[in-house]
Amino acid sequence: MQLMKLSQGNEAAGLKQFSKVTIHNGMAYWTGHVALKPGNLYEQTKSVFTRYDVFLPAYGQKKENILHAMAFVRDIGQYEAFIKAWKEWFSDGTIPPALTCVEADLVPGHNVEISFIVGYAKEGGPVQIHHELQEGTPYSEYVIHNNFIRFSAKTATVTGSLEKETQDIIRQYESALQKANCGPQNLLMANIYMRDISKLDSVMALWSQWTGKDAPAIMAQQSAVPEGRALAISMIAAAEPQAAIQRFETQNGVSACVKYNHVAFISAQTADATGTANQEGKEVFQKIDALLDRVGLDKKNVYFNEMVGNNFPDFNEFDVGAFKEWSVPDKIYPAAIGFSCLPPQGKAVEVSVIVAYE
């Protein structure tokens, strides 16, 4: 099993419990990076892309092999400034990847954090990528690589109630999946971003009707999305029409774990107790450990964490507390992206992980 964890430590944050990049099954996952100098959103976005111009070739990767970009901006009202820098970076003729861009409360002084997933040549072979372009947008609707489909986050094309927006996004995904010769049975992982996370149940009621027994793993948090919409959803699906997907502990539109093609997606976990992010985080990692045991996964094969905390001072204590206590003793060192947003049910922290398996 190819699993590499490279350059322990994220120099921007000064945290040694992360890897700068992890590589598994032909995909490289980057820890989120920020600009190192002050500036507005446009200037800092350009700066982050300049950093990746150095990072990618240093690790044998290419800009044209980026599959998905995950960008978190301090003020989604300035989304067009981010897109201006994005268009300029891809003006060299490189086909742009899928994109998710939402609002988050970042480290003070930073206006944007960007993480990439990049197609990686296995054993020196070529990187085979299909970009499905979407007219009128500066990013791919979806990108297919190694039998995974990675979608740009979708927002509603109509205005109205949250239920109406949800139904419209589901309709869009039905159309996109059909275009890729797939269906809801191919869903692996979904990230749900909402202006008001207290209304998540309204979304999940419609979502579970659509997915039924084929529910993906889920992560949801309160994040403002572009164009003043209430909701955005990004997804990962299997590209094989008859994909061999294993789902575990599925209920109410969510599978606790989904395994496909040597990659296991774990739904975001929150604590039952209420406390600080560090206090809740200890319980969250106990839950993750127990879940990994139940579904036959090895904790040491965790290679990407997505972590959300309610506020930054509290979240920083979690990073150097519960997360470090969980990861460092077992030398996990995943790539990671962490940001300050409100998790479901008013919790202080939630964590989702991706795990390699044979």
Side-chain angles (χ1 to χ4, degrees), residues 2 5 23 30 56 67-68 72 84 99 107 111 142-143 192 211-212 240 254 259 265 274 280 309 326 333 342 358:
Q2 179 201 44
K5 302 181 181 183
I23 298 169
W30 284 84
L56 291 173
L67 308 172
H68 182 259
F72 296 94
K84 179 182 177 183
L99 170 66
V107 174
N111 292 309
Y142 60 81
V143 176
I192 300 175
T211 61
E240 299 173 290
V254 181
K259 291 183 180 179
F265 300 93
T274 299
E280 290 187 19
W326 178 76
Y333 310 131
L342 182 63
E358 294 286 359

Side-chain angles (χ1 to χ4, degrees), residues 52-74:
Y52 275 112
D53 282 331
V54 175
F55 292 152
L56 291 173
Y59 289 88
Q61 298 168 31
K62 297 180 180 180
K63 177 179 174 180
E64 57 263 35
N65 293 337
I66 298 172
L67 308 172
H68 182 259
M70 185 181 298
F72 296 94
V73 299
R74 179 174 294 279

Side-chain angles (χ1 to χ4, degrees), residues 173-174 177 182-188 210-212 214-216 245 247:
Y173 271 115
E174 286 179 336
L177 288 166
C182 298
Q185 71 275 7
N186 291 76
L187 300 181
L188 303 172
W210 181 52
T211 61
D214 298 314
I245 300 171
R247 305 180 193 277

Side-chain angles (χ1 to χ4, degrees), residues 41 54 57 63 102 119 130 134 150 153 155 168 183 186 201 216 223 241 260 267 275 279 292 298 324 338 343 350:
L41 176 58
V54 175
K63 177 179 174 180
V102 297
H130 168 75
Q134 187 170 16
R150 300 180 185 277
T155 56
D168 184 68
N186 291 76
D201 286 349
S223 301
Y260 170 71
S267 281
Q279 291 167 339
L292 295 181
D298 189 336
K324 188 174 182 179
E350 65 173 330

Side-chain angles (χ1 to χ4, degrees), residues 3 52 54 59-60 65 71 81 89 99 102 131 139 141 143 170 199 227 232 235 263-264 267 278 299 304 323 344 347:
L3 177 56
Y52 275 112
V54 175
Y59 289 88
N65 293 337
W89 198 48
L99 170 66
V102 297
H131 295 82
Y139 43 80
E141 179 181 16
V143 176
I170 289 172
K199 298 179 180 179
E227 300 175 346
M235 294 222 288
V263 179
S267 281
N278 193 44
K299 174 181 174 179
F304 188 77
F323 174 65
K347 294 300 182 181

Side-chain angles (χ1 to χ4, degrees), residues 105 277 308-312 314-315 339-343 346-349:
D105 184 17
V308 174
N310 190 10
N311 66 77
F312 245 107
D314 196 29
F315 192 42
F339 47 95
S340 182
C341 292
L342 182 63
K347 294 300 182 181
V349 68

